[in-house]
């Protein structure tokens, strides 16, 4: 008997385009055979369109979305306080209307829901549906089923997205409802209640809404590895970026690509990584021993703990140690997180910012031969990690004491040692 397969979509305003990128990837690899789709807020609207098999309309909606499709009146360019202050003259009339109406005028949004929610197609589909809204009084959950959508279907979608107090409450049969996010912005539990035994869960938050569902064998949990934009930001370049991230993140979850924040073609870890991993264990052992005698020193597993927090996992695999370090290094170097990298490309790009390039093919001078004056100029651009890198390369010219490194900069020391290992490995090629 086939297990019921569910897709779960979190709420998050215009950030819902990240989910569109995820769906593109799922369609490409043949994992879009859902029996059930649940969602909250914009996730509910996305879910309804996917139940209707209207993925193209979903893409069209995001590609053409604009403030006047959500709200009558002025909409801030984003929720940055400095920008809001600059736009205050335009914002004041809308604010007055908001006070009088207990929320902004969302008739354009209601019209958009009416355009994209098509009951005939929705109920002709064999895919089940569920969304969540909450009562305005007490924020009690209302689990909206496909059967309930037969009456007031569009209203339930609007109620699920009624982000009060910005949006007004939605009244259905005399009862006031607010955004389902007041109860559960990411209804994985609802999918499980409806019998799902295989779940694809697409969150819209850097910090997972439901970390308890991470690393569950029956749940593929997909979420962005960087902060996305504000929930009503209509910047189309930001939205395009989020869509690419959604595609790449999904491909990584399914093993088509590798990586955490950055994305890589499949590869096997080189031997030098094992050397670095051994040095990491030795470094954490030094920290542990030092911490027994001096409380100034960092926690004994400071490096591993930081990586676990960064990747939102309770246990680190060998590859997660590697990708956690690579993410930090590539981010420091400002590398493109949309690109699908090969390891050698990323390695060369990172090292080119830490050492002088002496050949067009990015061969690097081995340890001890680098011109120190030119190398120090490179260090000045990278700050603390580069100073530690210098200390590792040139132990006779240390910038920091061992005690300071162990107590304050253990993670950066591990990063520096990883760079040195990579430099040596490239020098041997």
């Amino acid at each position: 008997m086939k297990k019921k397969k569910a897709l779960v979509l979190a709420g998050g305003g215009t950030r819902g385009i990240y989910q569109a990128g995820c769906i593109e990837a799922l369609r490409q690899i043949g994992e879009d055979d859902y029996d059930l789709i649940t969602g909250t807020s914009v996730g509910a609207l996305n879910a309804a369109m996917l139940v209707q098999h209207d993925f193209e309309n979903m893409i069209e909606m995001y590609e053409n979305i604009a403030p006047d499709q959500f709200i009558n009146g002025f909409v801030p360019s984003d929720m940055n306080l400095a920008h809001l202050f600059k736009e205050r003259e335009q914002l004041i009339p809308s604010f007055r209307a908001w006070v009088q109406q207990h929320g902004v005028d969302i008739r354009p949004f209601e019209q958009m829901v009416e355009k994209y929610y098509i009951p005939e197609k929705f109920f002709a589909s064999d895919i089940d549906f569920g969304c969540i809204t909450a009562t305005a009084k007490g924020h009690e959950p209302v689990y909206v089923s496909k059967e309930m959508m037969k009456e007031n279907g569009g209203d339930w979608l609007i109620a699920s997205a009624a982000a009060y107090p910005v949006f007004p409450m939605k009244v259905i049969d005399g009862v006031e409802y607010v955004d389902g996010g007041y109860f559960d912005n990411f209804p994985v539990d609802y999918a499980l209640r409806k019998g799902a035994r295989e779940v694809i869960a697409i969150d819209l938050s850097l910090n997972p809404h439901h970390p308890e569902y991470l690393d569950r064998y029956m749940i593929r949990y997909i979420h962005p590895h960087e902060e996305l934009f504000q929930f009503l930001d209509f910047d189309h370049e930001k939205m395009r970026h989020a869509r690419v991230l959604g595609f790449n993140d999904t491909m990584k979850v399914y093993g088509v690509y590798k990586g955490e924040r950055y994305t890589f073609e499949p590869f096997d870890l080189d031997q030098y990584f094992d050397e670095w991993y051994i040095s990491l264990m030795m470094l954490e052992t030094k920290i542990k021993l030092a911490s027994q005698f001096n409380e100034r020193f960092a926690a004994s597993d400071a490096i591993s703990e930081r990586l676990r927090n960064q990747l939102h996992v309770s246990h680190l695999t060998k590859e997660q140690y590697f990708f956690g370090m690579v993410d930090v290094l590539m981010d420091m170097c400002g590398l493109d997180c949309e690109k699908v990298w090969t390891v050698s490309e990323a390695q060369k790009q990172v090292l080119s910012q830490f050492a002088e390039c002496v050949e067009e093919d990015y061969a690097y001078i081995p340890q001890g031969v680098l011109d120190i004056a030119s190398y120090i100029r490179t260090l000045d651009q990278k700050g603390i990690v580069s100073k530690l890198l210098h200390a590792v390369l040139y132990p006779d010219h240390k910038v920091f004491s061992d005690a300071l490194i162990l107590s304050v900069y253990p993670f950066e020391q591990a990063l520096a040692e990883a760079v040195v290992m990579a430099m040596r490995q490239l020098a041997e090629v």
Side-chain angles (χ1 to χ4, degrees), residues 105-309:
D105 181 353
I106 63 164
R107 279 176 291 178
F109 174 66
E110 294 173 338
Q111 291 166 1
M112 188 173 75
V113 170
E114 184 178 350
K115 174 182 177 181
Y116 289 108
Y117 168 61
I118 305 169
E120 295 78 12
K121 297 177 72 173
F122 182 83
F123 291 106
S125 171
D126 59 356
I127 302 175
D128 197 5
F129 170 86
C131 73
I132 290 181
T133 185
T135 58
K137 185 176 180 180
H139 296 163
E140 294 294 325
V142 178
Y143 294 94
V144 180
S145 66
K146 193 171 184 179
E147 180 66 23
M148 290 171 64
M149 293 285 286
K150 288 180 178 177
E151 293 186 25
N152 307 312
D155 289 342
W156 286 120
L157 294 177
I158 293 165
S160 184
Y164 185 81
V166 178
F167 284 15
M169 294 176 282
K170 182 63 179 175
V171 180
I172 303 175
D173 294 334
V175 180
E176 295 176 324
Y177 297 97
V178 293
D179 194 298
Y182 277 98
F183 177 74
D184 188 355
N185 196 50
F186 191 29
V188 178
D189 175 72
Y190 190 17
L192 298 176
R193 286 168 177 247
K194 288 177 73 67
R197 293 299 176 261
E198 181 181 351
V199 176
I200 304 168
I202 307 178
D203 205 343
L204 294 175
S205 174
L206 170 64
N207 297 308
H209 276 104
H210 286 310
E212 67 272 19
Y213 292 127
L214 291 169
D215 301 321
R216 301 288 187 175
Y217 75 91
M218 62 187 294
I219 297 176
R220 293 187 188 266
Y221 199 118
I222 304 167
H223 72 102
H225 292 271
E226 65 178 67
E227 286 286 1
L228 300 181
F229 39 86
Q230 296 289 341
F231 84 106
L232 280 185
D233 192 328
F234 298 89
D235 184 315
H236 280 264
E237 175 54 29
K238 292 178 184 177
M239 294 174 70
R240 183 206 61 77
H241 176 69
R243 180 175 167 183
V244 173
L245 294 185
F247 182 91
N248 287 349
D249 287 343
T250 303
M251 289 298 210
K252 284 179 282 191
V253 166
Y254 279 88
V256 179
Y257 298 145
K258 289 193 173 187
E260 292 292 332
R261 181 182 176 194
Y262 287 83
T263 306
F264 294 87
E265 296 283 358
F267 67 96
D268 295 320
L269 289 175
D270 288 323
Q271 184 177 351
Y272 83 86
F273 175 80
D274 291 334
E275 295 180 47
W276 172 80
Y277 185 69
I278 291 170
S279 73
L280 171 63
M281 289 192 292
M282 294 172 66
L283 179 59
E284 290 197 316
T285 299
K286 284 182 185 178
I287 296 170
K288 181 178 180 180
L289 292 172
S291 65
Q292 293 176 0
F293 300 102
N294 191 336
E295 62 183 16
R296 291 182 307 148
F297 287 97
S300 59
D301 66 343
I303 301 163
S304 296
E305 181 181 12
R306 174 165 168 177
L307 288 174
R308 287 195 297 269
N309 291 337

Side-chain angles (χ1 to χ4, degrees), residues 329-335 347-357 362 364 375 377-382 386 389 419:
L329 288 169
M330 293 178 73
D331 190 49
M332 287 175 57
C333 295
L335 300 187
Q347 190 179 52
K348 291 168 185 176
Q349 285 288 323
V350 169
L351 296 185
S352 70
Q353 297 196 36
F354 284 102
E356 290 292 313
C357 177
Y362 293 94
Y364 287 84
Y375 186 67
R377 284 196 298 272
T378 306
L379 296 183
D380 290 339
Q381 301 169 9
K382 293 285 106 183
S386 293
L389 177 59
V419 174

